[in-house]
Amino acid sequence: SETNDNILTRPERVLLPFQDFAQLYGDWDLENSNSEEVETVIEEIGSDSFACLSGPVGLRNVGNSCFANSVLQCLLHIEPFANYFLKSRHSEPASGAKGKRSSRGEWCPLSHTEQLVQSYYQHDKKVFSPRSFLLHIEDIGKHFCFGDQEDAHDFLVELLDSIQEALVVDAIGSKAAAKRLKREDPRSQETTLIWQIFGGHTRGEVNCDCGYVSKTFQGFLTLELQIPHGIRSLEGALEAFTQGEELSGDNQYKCDSCKQWRDAEQRTVVDIAPNVLMIALKRFSYFGFGKITTHVAFPETLDLAPYMAEDATDQDETEYSLYAVIVHISPFSSAGHYISFVRRGSQWFKCDDSSITAVSEKTVMSQNVYMLLYQRDVVKDHTSKGTKKVSKKQEEENEEAEASTSGSADTGNEDTREREEAEEEEEEGE
């Protein structure tokens, strides 16, 4: 969602309470939770929880599916994502929701993702086939075709979007109600599982010479970064992303406040940092087969603070730890092979379709990556972030109150002037 009214509004409705979301993490502080609720969660997840798996299971290549396998390995090892589907959360209808499940053969992002996650975690062999899930790839994205090589980032975006849309409908009860919510309170859609894991916001700022600052907020699930010439590190790419640009000469800014064409500076910064930060490096060209092969170094730990607004909505504890990367092996963008590296505890694993190999951290840090996934060291509640929305009725009442105050002030000024004039006339008469 995008807002350009200089404020980021607070969601009026929360579809997945943060208390429930936080309990999807195995190391959640039990003192902050109701003990009965915690026991219920543990009982429902049981032995098939995220913690029961010591390492990744290989994913069989079912026909140019390495792009999907690399993405699925990353998602399957995100603790709240895995635990949500392991405990069949969407099978329990929210208040007022229909809670309908898919018919046999009918595509349902939630049911099929649940089947995938549960089958993966309950699998007792070294290799698992995602064929039944990927047969629906055309339902995930209309431009996808089973058996074709696709872009890993594109697949990730489409998959998360399809799950996100289904989560909103599942919580609200119908597509019509979900559309109405999107129109009336778009921020409420950003309180689902997907947004609480991956969702963040950037803030576009334009600082006019007159002193006015225009702000536009844009939500994101993945942060896409250019690789400018000469940039050799992730920090350098982030600095370039947040670097200011002068608007002057023929490129002056028409200010919304002073209504004049003025010199200004525009920049983009992070306003809300996600709990899992997914970064995609823009290596591929959309107008040919070229690929930017520049090696971009990346840190094991990352602090987003230098790339956030000084008065950001989300300011504290912005440190992250690397937990997964995706690598595209090829000098060309139109072909190649995808692999991923995933961390379980302190051990890194190379996931190359069916092959799973334990590797050193040094091996991971030497990769020429396409995507990086960082997990925030402290899980944050974004469902309460933002400024409370003022209703139209309240706005009208505020305007009336201001007008009344202004009118009273004008009346008071007129009375004062009349008294002063009377006093002056008396003095002249004397």
Side-chain angles (χ1 to χ4, degrees):
S1 64
E2 180 176 332
T3 58
N4 56 3
D5 53 2
N6 267 22
I7 62 169
L8 182 66
T9 58
R10 184 185 308 166
E12 294 183 13
R13 179 173 179 176
V14 176
L15 304 185
L16 176 64
F18 177 71
Q19 181 79 357
D20 294 343
F21 170 69
Q23 289 174 1
L24 297 173
Y25 284 86
D27 57 354
W28 173 242
D29 184 359
L30 300 187
E31 292 183 359
N32 295 331
S33 307
N34 179 283
S35 59
E36 292 182 1
E37 292 178 352
V38 173
E39 290 174 3
T40 301
V41 170
I42 295 174
E43 181 180 351
E44 290 177 352
I45 293 178
S47 60
D48 298 325
S49 69
F50 176 86
C52 75
L53 200 64
S54 59
V57 174
L59 293 177
R60 180 170 286 110
N61 191 314
V62 294
N64 291 320
S65 63
C66 60
F67 70 94
N69 288 347
S70 63
V71 168
L72 292 176
Q73 289 287 16
C74 294
L75 293 179
L76 288 163
H77 294 281
I78 294 175
E79 189 169 14
F81 183 89
N83 279 338
Y84 182 92
F85 290 103
L86 284 170
K87 74 182 294 284
S88 305
R89 278 297 302 254
H90 89 282
S91 302
E92 308 160 8
S95 177
K98 296 179 181 178
K100 293 173 65 177
R101 297 178 66 84
S102 64
S103 303
R104 182 179 296 275
E106 179 186 346
W107 165 250
C108 171
L110 303 185
S111 294
H112 283 85
T113 301
E114 177 184 294
Q115 293 168 13
L116 172 74
V117 174
Q118 293 186 359
S119 297
Y120 181 91
Y121 273 80
Q122 295 168 5
H123 200 64
D124 58 358
K125 297 181 180 179
K126 293 183 178 181
V127 180
F128 170 76
S129 175
R131 181 181 177 83
S132 61
F133 182 81
L134 294 179
L135 281 174
H136 293 279
I137 194 167
E138 293 181 27
D139 294 306
I140 296 173
K142 293 181 179 179
H143 56 291
F144 293 149
C145 182
F146 182 76
D148 285 358
Q149 172 74 290
E150 307 289 355
D151 175 64
H153 178 240
D154 191 16
F155 173 73
L156 172 64
V157 170
E158 294 289 346
L159 177 58
L160 293 183
D161 282 349
S162 65
I163 296 174
Q164 162 66 12
E165 182 178 346
L167 284 169
V168 174
V169 173
D170 194 58
I172 298 302
S174 70
K175 289 185 177 180
K179 288 182 179 179
R180 186 165 58 252
L181 180 70
K182 184 177 182 179
R183 182 176 62 254
E184 298 174 354
D185 182 23
R187 280 280 283 137
S188 289
Q189 295 192 105
E190 298 172 2
T191 61
T192 63
L193 172 77
I194 295 301
W195 270 88
Q196 291 204 52
I197 296 176
F198 306 108
H201 277 82
T202 57
R203 182 203 295 181
E205 297 181 341
V206 181
N207 293 269
C208 180
D209 275 358
C210 74
Y212 178 72
V213 180
S214 172
K215 301 174 184 177
T216 302
F217 298 89
Q218 177 69 55
F220 68 87
L221 294 178
T222 61
L223 197 60
E224 299 181 44
L225 301 180
Q226 300 279 1
I227 309 176
H229 180 70
I231 296 297
R232 296 289 185 273
S233 69
L234 179 63
E235 294 91 336
L238 283 166
E239 288 176 9
F241 177 76
T242 58
Q243 186 174 11
E245 176 187 359
E246 296 294 331
L247 302 178
S248 59
D250 294 336
N251 195 31
Q252 278 191 323
Y253 167 67
K254 179 67 178 291
C255 182
D256 294 333
S257 178
C258 68
K259 310 299 180 183
Q260 301 293 320
W261 289 97
R262 305 286 292 263
D263 287 349
E265 180 187 51
Q266 69 174 7
R267 66 191 296 247
T268 298
V269 288
V270 179
D271 189 70
I272 294 181
N275 283 313
V276 172
L277 173 65
M278 298 193 296
I279 298 175
L281 300 177
K282 293 185 176 182
R283 292 190 175 276
F284 302 146
S285 169
Y286 292 101
F287 306 101
F289 302 100
K291 175 184 176 182
I292 299 174
T293 58
T294 303
H295 188 281
V296 177
F298 53 95
E300 180 188 359
T301 59
L302 175 69
D303 188 354
L304 274 190
Y307 318 108
M308 301 189 69
E310 292 182 0
D311 59 340
T313 305
D314 173 27
Q315 291 184 315
D316 300 325
E317 299 168 312
T318 55
E319 296 84 11
Y320 290 79
S321 298
L322 184 71
Y323 95 93
V325 300
I326 294 176
V327 179
H328 178 252
I329 305 172
S330 174
F332 308 105
S333 61
S334 59
H337 183 58
Y338 286 95
I339 62 174
S340 58
F341 292 81
V342 177
R343 179 169 58 83
R344 293 285 304 201
S346 60
Q347 179 62 59
W348 281 94
F349 295 89
K350 176 183 177 182
C351 304
D352 185 354
D353 288 334
S354 300
S355 175
I356 303 295
T357 309
V359 297
S360 66
E361 181 183 296
K362 182 178 180 181
T363 297
V364 176
M365 303 306 290
S366 66
Q367 299 300 312
N368 196 16
V369 298
Y370 173 37
M371 291 191 65
L372 305 106
L373 289 85
Y374 285 90
Q375 184 162 286
R376 197 165 183 170
D377 294 342
V378 177
V379 182
K380 289 290 185 175
D381 177 12
H382 294 331
T383 63
S384 59
K385 294 288 195 303
T387 302
K388 187 175 182 180
K389 186 177 180 180
V390 178
S391 66
K392 290 184 178 180
K393 182 179 179 180
Q394 186 63 50
E395 288 180 353
E396 293 173 356
E397 291 177 353
N398 291 343
E399 290 175 358
E400 291 177 1
E402 289 178 4
S404 176
T405 302
S406 176
S408 299
D410 292 341
T411 301
N413 291 335
E414 290 177 3
D415 292 342
T416 301
R417 284 196 296 272
E418 289 177 359
R419 286 197 299 271
E420 291 176 348
E421 291 175 356
E423 291 175 356
E424 290 177 357
E425 290 176 358
E426 290 178 4
E427 290 177 358
E428 289 175 359
E430 293 175 357

